[in-house]
Amino acid sequence: MTGLNVSSSLSEQTVERLQEQIPRVTDRDSLVVRCPFTDSELGTVPACQPADVTEAVSRARAAQSEWAGRPVAERAEILQSVGDEMLANDSELLDIVQLEGGKSRLDAHAELLDIVLTADYYARQGPDHIAPTRKNGAFPLVTTAVEHHDPVGVVGLIEPWNYPLTLAISDMLPALLAGNGAVLKPAEDTPFSALRAVELLVEAGVPEDLVQVVTGYGEPLGEPLISAVDYVTFTGSTGTGRTVASLAGEHLIDASLELGGKNAAIVLDDADIPTAVRGLVHGSYANAGQLCISFERIFVDETVYDEFCAQFVEAAEALELGASLDFGPDVGSLIGKHQLETVEAHVADARERGATVETGGRRRTDVGPLFYEPTVLTDLPGDATAACEETFGPVVSITPVADADEAVERANDTDYGLHASVWTGDTARGKTVARRIETGTACVNDAYLSMWASTDAPMGGVGDSGIGRRHGAEGLLKYTESQTVSTARDPLVPMPSVPNRLWAAGSTLTVRALRRLRGLSPLSER
Ligand code: NAD
């Protein structure tokens, strides 16, 4: 385990410069941002108020029409420069993400690469996704139809603390490519990553006022933001997601909601155990378990359960906890006291209900005030809090199952439906099992990275894990309104000289002929 080694902090000048971007109608109270590694003050940002949100949205709206009027190729080029800017400033960004998020450098590094991959993907593929598309007209040769995609206007983004860089920026990039403006409300714990990243967007060529950041608490800012924007992207807990969804409904705007999970991994009897252990230890403790797609439940075929458990516990114990701004430690800190208390409550409840804590199960104040050991629970009863509710910490339960059928049944025994993984020596079998798990995404023989980094494929949850998708065409088209323009050679209305009855009979004949041509009429009619 690595002791406290946080040598750098945000300078006063940096904090002051970053604060300048935030619209404030008048002076505002300060919101103190703490460094989880030390629980000391990192800096302050204004606790914005509803009037600041109104100001931010009107600035973004004023800049949006010029941006939307630019050729999409120009917007795509700027997106590509976003990737360049992120890579050119990588070490400063990683420092900020670590200092306010408390995560390991490797976890921060994954955030940075995600932005680069997403920016490059939408720069390359985005223009095709939103290009006008010719559709089948109602009647061939007589009518045509073309689908166009216009920006919705200004997109509001409300983001959580666990991936403060990537969730703030990666979800915004397709909105910008589509020609929208954006107003971002980062989590109150982690505003600095977003603020620095938005500065870099401007350096990459994004017009200055197009992207606005309002810092502060969710409760006073959510309603004014959602009432003023044209679309809301929310990532966070299921509880807040419900509030956001009802506000979006009230204001009749569309929303995507990326929410919590209780993700399960399944280890089949033919899995390579060392590989599954390597993948799932990372998949359970990445970002100290504060990752929406990390695993909190592992179901293992009983024939390989003992072997898997022994190796998993050994690998969990080998992880290095540490507070340092280098690539040494594997696992960082929890974000704050609220998260530490949740984790402790879930483990205490598990213990009370008879679960065995195979390893972990305690704070590590010797490493930092908010560190918690990677923890493995076995014999966890199905009604324990850690079995049903999202812990969002470094706690995973391992449970033996009779076969793949029971594993799938147990994996699906939750209201959440975000992500899953299946481990097997037979990938065809793995894919079949994965298709039976009721989640928005699943991996075979990988924890989550191959799925997340497949930016061409949609990612999101079902059930209590949310609505809508990020990545791929869906992740871009949600930020557009489609307009269909159809053209007819002659109006499709009865001519004055043709009686309505004759017109109706002629139309029916045409539809019958079309159905026959398309192979849709009953066989007797063909
Ligand atoms: P949270 O719901 O507490 O907060 C998320 C954001 O919502 C913050 O910016 C917060 O200020 C804001 N907010 C709070 N109350 C609000 C209100 N009334 N109106 C509008 N906004 C409000 O979530 P959190 O604790 O920051 O994040 C952890 C949760 O996020 C976990 O459940 C995790 O699974 C989930 N998450 C999901 C994904 C995904 O892609 N599905 C990704 C990351 C995190």
Side-chain angles (χ1 to χ4, degrees), residues 159-161 185 188 234-237 240 258-260 292 390 470:
E159 300 294 347
W161 46 263
K185 199 215 80 65
E188 39 275 42
F234 172 79
T235 306
S237 61
T240 314
E258 303 288 348
L259 310 178
C292 57
E390 184 182 41
R470 57 164 64 92

Side-chain angles (χ1 to χ4, degrees), residues 271-337:
D272 180 72
I273 299 304
T275 306
V277 166
R278 183 164 61 91
L280 286 175
V281 163
H282 180 80
S284 305
Y285 302 121
N287 213 37
Q290 303 165 117
L291 168 61
C292 57
I293 46 178
S294 63
F295 299 102
E296 298 194 352
R297 302 178 297 152
I298 303 178
F299 298 106
V300 184
D301 190 284
E302 60 195 10
T303 57
V304 291
Y305 175 77
D306 290 341
E307 187 188 354
F308 178 86
C309 264
Q311 290 187 28
F312 191 96
V313 168
E314 194 183 330
E317 286 173 350
L319 291 172
E320 186 183 324
L321 270 73
S324 89
L325 302 184
D326 59 42
F327 282 99
D330 303 300
V331 180
S333 170
L334 296 178
I335 185 77
K337 289 193 182 81

Side-chain angles (χ1 to χ4, degrees), residues 133-147 484-487 514 518:
T133 323
R134 206 183 157 131
K135 300 286 174 184
N136 288 328
F139 298 104
L141 307 177
V142 184
T143 62
T144 60
V146 177
E147 183 187 359
T484 297
V485 177
S486 73
T487 316
L514 281 175
R518 291 167 183 159

